[in-house]
Every structure is written in structure tokens, then in C-alpha cells.
């Protein structure tokens, strides 16, 4: 158990809909990362938050957004969903933003999103 | 821009045989290197990491990796694999000032009895 909790584990929704994925980081971790894993694109970094503020952006669509709340949990919002957005979405957390020894990220078990 | 290439998408091997999973990276700056393992229907678990210092890094479950700066490689090795090592293995890099990881496409290790 990594200590990172993601809910829900599975989600099935229709095209055009909006969903919210939730992540609770390990206790004390300030950084939260979101990744997308799909068969064609592999594992891709989407976005990082550090202590409530956006820290880095990767290949995240404009239809997708995220936020990190004062209690440090994070939510990834996916809207106007398309079939191609079906994927496994991982959240990871790490203690600090820049300390080299703390760049290890701990991953949750993911949310499998199926768009039908 | 950084990138990671895992040269083999699938590696079949017999139990108790040695295995090497290859990883090459490209980056114009110093990077940190990681190997993660993903068991079926699980998240990613860190096997080992290279930040600095000794180029031979030992990780969990008997795995080790060697950082080779001149060849920009970070190959993962295990002298004797078990059935339980069957999983997908991901090589990843990050820049020191950023925590986000750039992953390779993954290598599926299949250990046969």
C-alpha cells in the first residue's frame, strides 16, 4: 500500500459527459501529480500541484483541469469526454517540490475511466 | 527535451535465468533516473532510483541498475528471476528541479516456469 488513495477505482461514462477523479496523497506529501496511462500514448504526465498551487503542466487537454485543496487532496476534472479519453488515470504524491532525495513519487492504484 | 526509450516491449525469460531490461534516455541536463514496476491491476511501485554517486544502484526484490552517462543508459538487471517478477517495468527520468516523470513505453517481462 503506497498510502495514496484514488477514488473511484472504476468509472464508466458516456461521451460528452464530465467526471471528477479524486486523490488523497500520502500523509505529509505536498506535491500531487496526475498521469494518464493509455495503450497508444503510454504513461504521460498531465499536471502537478504543490501545496495548492499549480507547479508544472504536461500534456493536459484544455478540457481537463485539476486543483489541490487546503487539505492537500486533489481532483482531476475531465469534461466533454471522448472515446479516446478512456484510460487509467494515476495520481502520485511526493514530499517536496525540489529536494532531490524527495523526488520519489508514490503512486495510487489508479482510476480506470471508460468512455462509451 | 527529455525522452526515454525502452528498447524491448516484451521480454520472455525462463525462471531462474538472468534478465536485463534496457533503457536509454536523452537529456541536455542532468537527470534523475528511476525504474518502476507495475503488477497487473496495480499502481506503479518504485524499484530503484539513481540521483548521484555510485553508478550501480541496488533496489528491491533483487533488482539493480547501472547508470552509464557516456552511453546515456540505465539498464535494469536481475541475476535470477522468479515467476512473481512477471510485470511491466517502466524506466523514467526527471529533472532535478521538477518532480514530474517522463516515462518510457514500458517492457513487459514474462517469466515462464
Amino acid at each position: 500500500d503506497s498510502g495514496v488513495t484514488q477514488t473511484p477505482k472504476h468509472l464508466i461514462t458516456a461521451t460528452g459527459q464530465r467526471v471528477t477523479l479524486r486523490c488523497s496523497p500520502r500523509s505529509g506529501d505536498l506535491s500531487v501529480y496526475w498521469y494518464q496511462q493509455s495503450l497508444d500514448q503510454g504513461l504521460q504526465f498531465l499536471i502537478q500541484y504543490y501545496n495548492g498551487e499549480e507547479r508544472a503542466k504536461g500534456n493536459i487537454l484544455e478540457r481537463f483541469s485539476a486543483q489541490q485543496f487546503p487539505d492537500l487532496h486533489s481532483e482531476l476534472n475531465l469534461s466533454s469526454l471522448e472515446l479516446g479519453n478512456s484510460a487509467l488515470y494515476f495520481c502520485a504524491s511526493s514530499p517536496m517540490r525540489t529536494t532531490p532525495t524527495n523526488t520519489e513519487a508514490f503512486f495510487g492504484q489508479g482510476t480506470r475511466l471508460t468512455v462509451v | 527535451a527529455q525522452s526515454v526509450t525502452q528498447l524491448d516491449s516484451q521480454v520472455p525469460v525462463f525462471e531462474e535465468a538472468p534478465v536485463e531490461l534496457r533503457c536509454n534516455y536523452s537529456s541536455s541536463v542532468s537527470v534523475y533516473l528511476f525504474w518502476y514496476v507495475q503488477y497487473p491491476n496495480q499502481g506503479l511501485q518504485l524499484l530503484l532510483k539513481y540521483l548521484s554517486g555510485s553508478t550501480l544502484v541496488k533496489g528491491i526484490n533483487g533488482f539493480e541498475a547501472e547508470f552509464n552517462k557516456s552511453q546515456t543508459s540505465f539498464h535494469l538487471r536481475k541475476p535470477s528471476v522468479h515467476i512473481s517478477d512477471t510485470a511491466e517495468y517502466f524506466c523514467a527520468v526527471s529533472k532535478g528541479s521538477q518532480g514530474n516523470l517522463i516515462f518510457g513505453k514500458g517492457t513487459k517481462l514474462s517469466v515462464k516456469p
Side-chain angles (χ1 to χ4, degrees):
Chain A
D1 183 4
S2 67
V4 178
T5 303
Q6 289 187 248
T7 56
K9 286 189 168 41
H10 302 276
L11 196 49
I12 301 175
T13 190
T15 53
Q17 295 298 305
R18 171 189 166 97
V19 297
T20 298
L21 313 184
R22 182 188 168 99
C23 170
S24 295
R26 292 189 323 153
S27 177
D29 282 359
L30 299 177
S31 272
V32 170
Y33 311 83
W34 285 97
Y35 291 86
Q36 179 194 61
Q37 185 179 32
S38 62
L39 283 175
D40 53 344
Q41 299 289 330
L43 263 165
Q44 287 200 97
F45 166 68
L46 295 179
I47 196 164
Q48 177 199 0
Y49 275 81
Y50 174 75
N51 203 20
E53 294 186 2
E54 184 182 302
R55 173 72 178 89
K57 237 176 182 177
N59 298 324
I60 188 166
L61 299 173
E62 284 192 12
R63 300 183 280 111
F64 296 179
S65 64
Q67 51 185 328
Q68 186 179 28
F69 295 87
D71 67 352
L72 300 178
H73 91 270
S74 178
E75 292 181 355
L76 179 67
N77 300 298
L78 315 175
S79 61
S80 302
L81 285 166
E82 302 172 356
L83 296 178
N85 300 136
S86 295
L88 194 51
Y89 291 85
F90 285 109
C91 167
S93 73
S94 69
M96 298 281 286
R97 184 181 68 183
T98 59
T99 305
T101 56
N102 286 328
T103 53
E104 174 179 343
F106 295 85
F107 283 76
Q109 296 210 349
T111 294
R112 184 168 294 282
L113 174 66
T114 303
V115 183
V116 297
Chain B
Q2 301 154 271
S3 69
V4 179
T5 302
Q6 291 184 244
L7 296 160
D8 306 296
S9 59
Q10 296 190 38
V11 172
V13 65
F14 287 106
E15 195 173 18
E16 297 183 8
V19 70
E20 178 180 81
L21 306 184
R22 297 179 292 169
C23 172
N24 286 89
Y25 69 93
S26 66
S27 176
S28 58
V29 298
S30 296
V31 294
Y32 301 129
L33 295 155
F34 305 81
W35 275 99
Y36 280 84
V37 60
Q38 185 179 28
Y39 298 103
N41 301 313
Q42 299 284 320
L44 284 85
Q45 180 183 5
L46 181 70
L47 276 179
L48 47 80
K49 60 185 176 184
Y50 172 79
L51 303 180
S52 64
S54 172
T55 57
L56 184 62
V57 180
K58 293 192 183 297
I60 63 171
N61 301 341
F63 284 93
E64 63 181 33
E66 185 155 18
F67 170 60
N68 187 319
K69 189 174 182 180
S70 62
Q71 296 189 4
T72 60
S73 68
F74 190 54
H75 300 333
L76 181 71
R77 301 185 183 101
K78 187 170 182 178
S80 175
V81 293
H82 302 287
I83 298 285
S84 59
D85 293 322
T86 295
E88 190 159 17
Y89 293 78
F90 292 91
C91 181
V93 303
S94 75
K95 285 199 295 187
S97 61
Q98 296 176 8
N100 58 285
L101 298 164
I102 308 297
F103 284 93
K105 292 284 189 184
T107 297
K108 289 185 178 174
L109 176 64
S110 175
V111 182
K112 303 177 187 304

